[in-house]
Amino acid sequence: MSASVRARRPASPPPGLPHVTPSPHKHASTLSRKDDLGADERREAASKGYGPGRRTHAPGGIKVTSAEWKLLVIVLMIATLVRLFRISTPSSVVFDEVHFGKFAARYIKTRYFVDVHPPLAKLLITAAAFLFGFDGEFDFKDIGKAFENTPYVAMRMVPATLGIATIPLAYLTLRALDCTATTALLASLFITFENGLVTQSRHILLDSPLVFFTALTIFLFVGFSNEDKQKPFTERWWTWLVLTGLSLGAVLSCKWVGLFTVATVGVCTILQLWLLLGDLRVKPSTWARHFFARALCLIVIPVLFYMTMFELHFMILGSSGEGDAFMSSEFRQTLGRGMQDTYADVAIGSEVTIRHMNTQGGYLHSHAHNYPGGSGQQQITLYPHRDENNAWRILNATVDNYPQYDYETQPVEYIKHMSRIKLRHIVTDKSLHSHDVRPPVSDVDFQNEVSAYGQSGFVGDLNDDWVLEIESGDKSDKESGKRLRTLRTHFKLRHLMTGCYLFSHKVKLPEWGFEQQEVTCNKNAVKANSLWYIETAAKHPQLPANADQVNYKIPGFLSKFWELQRVMWTTNAGLTDRHVYDSRPLTWPRLRRGINFWVKDHRQIYLIGNPFVWWLSTFSVVTYVLVRGFLLLRAKRGYKDFENTKVVKYDTLCGFLFTGYFMHYFPFFLMGRQLFLHHYFPALYFAILLSCAVFDFATSALRPKIRLQIAAVFAIAAIWNFSRFSPLAYGNPWTKKQCRSAQWVKTWDFACNEFLDDYAHYGGIHVPTSNKTVPVATIGGEPGGRAPIVVDEDTQPDLPEVHTALPSGAIAEPGRDVFAKPEEKERVVSAVVVEAATSVLEKKEDPEEEVKIETPSEPAEETPVSTAERGGPAPRTPEGPLDQEDSLADEVARELYPEARDSRA
């Protein structure tokens, strides 16, 4: 552009303002000054039937020539080759495919589950799986498990296709921001050959859809901004604005990280409205139209889109599943496992189930297993599933010597505020009991142990007595505030002797307690965690046949929607456990460490970025901040840099992209949850565009040919870096020497020892495709230590050097399956079987031992089996250095609990 044309630009253009191409003549005629079209543009306008004085405006301000479209097609072909090359490899589960593949199976089976991410990306993957005949039987249980009767390639094609589609969006976005075609081409090549984005888009993961919808939103918003400066409230203007709102809803419906994209668009929209408010040519009524149009399209439409995705989620998942335990009883009424109507009145002698109000840990529960320490009495827990071990009988405890109240013949005695009662566990015939003994986990002075105590024929002691304090009742049932009523009355249970309150919180018992939720008696109890209610009450013998019955209210969509949002938020915030491959935001721009996705058959998939693209983008971000700060200092000293239209243009352009980068990066510093390198990808997208904008500025004074040559050098450097690390993206054969030479940063913990010494050695290796597993043990994988290696416990004489290595970081984000695990653990003990509690002491868990054992097994029915029926866990004989810590733990256990040692002897 010539200086004369730049002088006609506004002083402070908003992001994406289209730049008018000047007439090539030094002394332009009056006609050429009016239309401001170049020769090529005039010919194109004439070919469309426009007169010589008629000015054209490209949709969204995107002026792309036919030659550029042809070039973009070539780039797309290259990107398709890069993203889809050997996408069927590996033919086994990789990293978080453990979760997202399993969720697709749950959708197809219509079994309810809970995830911390919104459903759109998972629904897209499920659609592909369904169309290609997936029956949902494959469980995606373990990393490295071979696919069987699963259209995993079709499922991987969804993120791969969206990853490909991101590349033209980057090109068109920079062209809409008035960058040169060379700059836009460079950005598209950077994204094409970015190793991290390639790796992430080749598997059943959610980050590729997230980055795509982020890029789509930014592109549409830039196009809207250009239309807004051209002429507002036209059909094009509304089209771009509505599409921006829909895209905002889509990015938010993939992951909550999409809120950062919403914030980026929101900040820029506020700036636009602020500038309009200061423009005296804009009438207040016109400004109000701008405000309400943006509020409708950028707030209401995204929210409706987001809620629509959850409506689809609820419509598909209509059956009971592993996510039931995390939802309220009202919610579960909609999942095909609704509760039968139950009797409303509760009296002395009623058989009831008691549910905790706050933590959704479940029912007050006991089973025939004792605490390994403390009093050694029978365990009391919260159990999230309906079970006969949840049943209690309410008995009278107000008379000395505890004469049994004949509730079958005596008049009905309702339970009122401050009633003194006992709770008798029906199956084991023991009473709910507390005493001045510390709990096994929450070992603090203000917490007492709660146990089940007594035996048949033993009436108990004063430590079995509880005082029922009614806290509140239902407004629609006035009696529920005066006496105990099923579902309607919320109450507390105060221990008569110690004054503590029956209490539960989100603390799980160890393995000997089957990881069920701890129940204690708390002297300083938080009110919310000490509230209980009766969920079911069997018919009392003295109640008439037509006695009142009640049930949960069936929640509507909004109630279910808000409850699920709360569960997602709480679970997401609780993912604070450290993961072997997690990282903190400060390390992401420097590419300090990646993520081990998969190691098997002397190959590895490791998430690592393209070092050249990554570090160049980081350098550009730092450069922009420093130069912007320097210009501000010069402005304070009276320099007129911001009166230069070139400076204004690139300051606005780079400022917009830096805002997007900042909004997608800085919030992670405020999070305490697990974070991984892939959380940086949306910010990386903005950083790449910013680096190309800096390139555009740095080469703006050069001839196009020179600019193209410099861009070619940058592109070649990016492609070379991509090729250098491509074996880690594709899981291709690599040698140990090449792997070690590629470890440019000492914290890049590639599994170099897993690779063979020479490519020729790979020719004789048979890559297994069957679904069978062999016993393996993973060694290593500690942060900063040796790479994870798996030792095959079975001999393989044909290929003794071939073994399978599963990364110790094979627990995919968010570090564990926080939703599916409790159901499996807790159902094991749902049967009522008496067993010596000390038998579970022999099974110890060493959190630092990175050992995983897999044993081949035939498919079997998934029926609950009690611990006693299995015979209890067999003692393990320590063997080898890997078992030293287990041996020490067993010795400590024998010293602490000699009775357990003697019973085994």
Side-chain angles (χ1 to χ4, degrees):
M1 297 183 187
S2 66
S4 61
V5 174
R6 289 173 182 161
R8 292 195 296 272
R9 292 178 54 81
S12 300
L17 180 70
H19 292 261
V20 180
T21 304
S23 170
H25 305 289
K26 184 176 180 180
H27 302 288
S29 64
T30 303
L31 181 62
S32 64
R33 283 198 303 269
K34 286 182 179 180
D35 58 29
D36 278 337
L37 297 178
D40 292 337
E41 292 169 315
R42 287 199 298 272
R43 282 195 296 270
E44 184 178 357
S47 66
K48 296 179 180 180
Y50 298 144
R54 182 168 178 176
R55 180 178 178 177
T56 61
H57 171 66
I62 307 170
K63 298 181 179 179
V64 180
T65 65
S66 59
E68 288 182 70
W69 286 116
K70 295 176 182 178
L71 183 63
L72 197 54
V73 169
I74 296 175
V75 173
L76 273 176
M77 293 173 62
I78 297 173
T80 301
L81 178 63
V82 170
R83 293 295 195 278
L84 302 186
F85 175 68
R86 298 185 68 221
I87 197 172
S88 60
T89 303
S91 59
S92 57
V93 179
V94 175
F95 194 52
D96 267 2
E97 290 184 337
V98 165
H99 294 322
F100 304 124
K102 178 186 68 177
F103 293 152
R106 296 293 183 270
Y107 274 125
I108 290 175
K109 290 289 188 179
T110 71
R111 295 174 182 171
Y112 187 78
F113 67 90
V114 178
D115 182 32
V116 295
H117 303 301
L120 175 58
K122 298 190 290 287
L123 287 173
L124 294 174
I125 293 171
T126 302
F130 177 77
L131 290 175
F132 284 84
F134 184 40
D135 57 8
E137 293 297 332
F138 186 76
D139 58 9
F140 293 85
K141 186 176 181 180
D142 299 307
I143 294 177
K145 183 174 182 178
F147 289 114
E148 188 174 86
N149 299 323
T150 304
Y152 69 96
V153 174
M155 299 169 73
R156 288 176 176 176
M157 283 292 294
V158 174
T161 302
L162 296 179
I164 295 169
T166 304
I167 293 166
L169 289 176
Y171 184 97
L172 296 174
T173 299
L174 287 181
R175 291 295 284 135
L177 289 171
D178 203 27
C179 289
T180 64
T182 301
T183 300
L185 176 63
L186 183 63
S188 64
L189 291 176
F190 278 173
I191 295 175
T192 298
F193 293 102
E194 208 297 300
N195 296 62
L197 295 176
V198 171
T199 304
Q200 197 76 8
S201 66
R202 288 171 49 82
H203 304 289
I204 308 171
L205 305 172
L206 306 187
D207 292 276
S208 184
L210 173 69
V211 173
F212 167 76
F213 285 114
T214 299
L216 179 62
T217 300
I218 297 305
F219 164 69
L220 292 172
F221 181 70
V222 170
F224 162 74
S225 299
N226 290 340
E227 291 290 340
D228 188 54
K229 294 306 296 181
Q230 182 68 22
K231 187 177 181 181
F233 305 113
T234 63
E235 185 177 348
R236 278 185 183 176
W237 185 91
W238 280 107
T239 300
W240 285 94
L241 183 58
V242 170
L243 290 176
T244 302
L246 291 173
S247 186
L248 278 174
V251 70
L252 185 58
S253 299
C254 287
K255 277 189 171 185
W256 276 355
V257 175
L259 284 169
F260 304 155
T261 307
V262 174
T264 301
V265 173
V267 167
C268 296
T269 300
I270 292 173
L271 177 61
Q272 288 179 349
L273 292 173
W274 181 255
L275 294 176
L276 282 173
L277 187 63
D279 190 344
L280 299 180
R281 298 170 299 176
V282 178
K283 297 178 181 179
S285 59
T286 303
W287 186 90
R289 290 181 64 193
H290 278 279
F291 175 82
F292 286 111
R294 286 166 168 80
L296 172 65
C297 296
L298 302 182
I299 298 178
V300 176
I301 288 180
V303 170
L304 291 178
F305 187 99
Y306 180 77
M307 296 177 70
T308 301
M309 293 301 103
F310 279 93
E311 176 65 13
L312 292 175
H313 179 78
F314 294 144
M315 289 172 60
I316 296 173
L317 301 178
S319 304
S320 178
E322 61 190 23
D324 293 13
F326 299 90
M327 312 309 297
S328 67
S329 297
E330 292 88 347
F331 192 106
R332 286 187 286 179
Q333 291 291 102
T334 66
L335 298 177
R337 290 183 62 182
M339 185 181 74
Q340 298 294 327
D341 290 349
T342 185
Y343 287 91
D345 288 311
V346 180
I348 297 298
S350 291
E351 180 182 331
V352 299
T353 58
I354 304 173
R355 194 171 180 87
H356 194 234
M357 279 285 298
N358 190 40
T359 61
Q360 295 182 1
Y363 301 88
L364 187 65
H365 177 92
S366 186
H367 43 239
H369 298 274
N370 296 347
Y371 292 115
S375 67
Q377 296 174 5
Q378 186 169 297
Q379 299 173 10
I380 297 291
T381 66
L382 282 193
Y383 183 61
H385 308 287
R386 292 170 184 164
D387 184 81
E388 61 181 344
N389 277 329
N390 303 334
W392 301 83
R393 190 176 303 281
I394 302 177
L395 299 176
N396 194 348
T398 61
V399 182
D400 293 339
N401 299 324
Y402 301 97
Q404 294 294 327
Y405 181 79
D406 189 2
Y407 56 85
E408 294 185 357
T409 60
Q410 295 295 323
V412 172
E413 183 178 339
Y414 294 116
I415 301 171
K416 301 179 180 180
H417 180 59
M418 301 303 292
S419 293
R420 179 177 161 187
I421 63 172
K422 291 193 299 184
L423 290 171
R424 195 77 174 177
H425 191 243
I426 292 179
V427 173
T428 61
D429 201 19
K430 297 179 185 293
S431 296
L432 186 69
H433 182 92
S434 186
H435 40 220
D436 193 17
V437 176
R438 302 287 78 77
V441 177
S442 300
D443 187 3
V444 290
D445 291 338
F446 57 86
Q447 299 253 40
N448 289 344
E449 178 189 86
V450 175
S451 63
Y453 175 70
Q455 59 186 3
S456 298
F458 176 65
V459 295
D461 57 29
L462 291 176
N463 281 329
D464 299 340
D465 283 12
W466 301 83
V467 178
L468 187 143
E469 300 178 0
I470 293 179
E471 184 67 27
S472 63
D474 194 295
K475 294 180 180 179
S476 63
D477 185 357
K478 294 183 179 179
E479 288 296 316
S480 64
K482 301 175 183 179
R483 59 185 174 90
L484 190 60
R485 299 266 288 177
T486 305
L487 297 177
R488 308 291 173 79
T489 304
H490 300 163
F491 61 89
K492 296 190 290 187
L493 288 174
R494 175 169 55 85
H495 191 246
L496 181 65
M497 299 299 294
T498 63
C500 57
Y501 285 90
L502 190 66
F503 173 90
S504 186
H505 51 169
K506 291 185 177 180
V507 172
K508 297 293 183 67
L509 295 174
E511 197 166 309
W512 52 256
F514 308 99
E515 297 186 0
Q516 296 177 15
Q517 191 163 307
E518 183 186 42
V519 175
T520 66
C521 196
N522 194 327
K523 299 174 184 177
N524 301 325
V526 177
K527 177 180 176 180
N529 286 345
S530 56
L531 289 177
W532 306 80
Y533 68 96
I534 303 295
E535 183 180 75
T536 62
K539 183 182 179 300
H540 193 279
Q542 297 300 316
L543 289 178
N546 60 348
D548 291 342
Q549 293 186 329
V550 294
N551 208 328
Y552 288 108
K553 297 178 181 178
I554 302 298
F557 167 73
L558 287 179
S559 297
K560 294 170 62 178
F561 172 78
W562 285 115
E563 180 178 341
L564 181 54
Q565 302 309 301
R566 288 193 298 270
V567 170
M568 291 168 59
W569 175 269
T570 303
T571 307
N572 197 25
L575 298 175
T576 56
D577 295 342
R578 294 306 305 271
H579 187 282
V580 68
Y581 284 104
D582 68 1
S583 55
R584 301 313 300 171
L586 192 61
T587 66
W588 296 342
R590 296 177 292 161
L591 196 59
R592 294 288 295 168
R593 193 172 184 228
I595 306 174
N596 193 2
F597 271 19
W598 179 89
V599 181
K600 193 173 183 180
D601 306 313
H602 302 292
R603 294 166 173 83
Q604 182 182 25
I605 295 178
Y606 187 96
L607 182 70
I608 193 74
N610 185 313
F612 177 78
V613 174
W614 207 285
W615 292 333
L616 179 65
S617 63
T618 301
F619 173 78
S620 300
V621 171
V622 174
T623 299
Y624 168 74
V625 173
L626 294 177
V627 171
R628 189 61 164 82
F630 178 69
L631 291 177
L632 289 175
L633 292 177
R634 282 174 56 87
K636 281 293 183 182
R637 299 297 299 172
Y639 290 93
K640 306 298 183 181
D641 296 319
F642 289 104
E643 294 182 3
N644 186 310
T645 55
K646 179 178 179 180
V647 172
V648 170
K649 170 191 172 180
Y650 285 103
D651 176 64
T652 303
L653 167 60
C654 295
F656 170 66
L657 296 175
F658 177 79
T659 299
Y661 175 83
F662 181 84
M663 288 294 181
H664 287 78
Y665 177 53
F666 176 76
F668 287 109
F669 285 95
L670 308 178
M671 298 182 186
R673 60 150 290 175
Q674 284 178 347
L675 295 173
F676 297 84
L677 182 67
H678 56 73
H679 286 114
Y680 183 68
F681 283 163
L684 176 66
Y685 176 78
F686 285 96
I688 291 174
L689 296 189
L690 180 58
S691 66
C692 293
V694 171
F695 167 84
D696 197 80
F697 170 74
T699 61
S700 59
L702 301 178
R703 290 182 299 172
K705 183 178 180 179
I706 302 299
R707 182 192 302 120
L708 183 60
Q709 291 172 347
I710 298 174
V713 172
F714 281 7
I716 292 172
I719 295 172
W720 183 87
N721 276 261
F722 170 79
S723 175
R724 189 76 173 84
F725 296 93
S726 62
L728 296 176
Y730 296 122
N732 285 344
W734 217 14
T735 65
K736 293 180 180 178
K737 181 178 180 181
Q738 288 179 318
C739 177
R740 294 190 179 103
S741 66
Q743 288 180 305
W744 299 347
V745 179
K746 63 180 181 181
T747 51
W748 291 356
D749 48 352
F750 309 151
C752 292
N753 290 330
E754 280 299 304
F755 297 103
L756 300 179
D757 293 322
D758 192 272
Y759 285 110
H761 297 163
Y762 283 95
I765 294 180
H766 171 67
V767 179
T769 57
S770 68
N771 206 19
K772 295 183 179 180
T773 57
V774 296
V776 294
T778 307
I779 306 173
E782 299 82 6
R786 63 183 296 181
I789 302 174
V790 168
V791 180
D792 189 346
E793 295 182 358
D794 287 353
T795 58
Q796 298 182 12
D798 296 334
L799 289 172
E801 76 280 4
V802 177
H803 57 273
T804 299
L806 298 178
S808 60
I811 306 175
E813 189 221 346
R816 65 186 185 279
D817 193 339
V818 294
F819 299 107
K821 187 176 180 180
E823 184 173 5
E824 295 179 358
K825 286 285 184 182
E826 289 154 349
R827 281 182 175 168
V828 169
V829 297
S830 62
V832 184
V833 180
V834 178
E835 180 191 18
T838 54
S839 65
V840 297
L841 291 173
E842 299 180 39
K843 187 173 182 179
K844 292 291 181 179
E845 180 179 357
D846 188 350
E848 297 182 358
E849 183 179 351
E850 297 294 332
V851 177
K852 179 175 181 182
I853 303 297
E854 298 179 2
T855 56
S857 59
E858 296 295 326
E861 287 187 47
E862 297 181 1
T863 55
V865 181
S866 69
T867 309
E869 290 170 343
R870 294 195 311 267
R876 185 175 62 160
T877 303
E879 179 179 334
L882 287 178
D883 289 312
Q884 289 179 358
E885 294 183 1
D886 275 359
S887 178
L888 292 174
D890 288 340
E891 291 178 8
V892 172
R894 285 194 293 271
E895 293 175 4
L896 291 175
Y897 309 112
E899 65 276 11
R901 175 194 61 199
D902 296 338
S903 65
R904 289 196 301 270

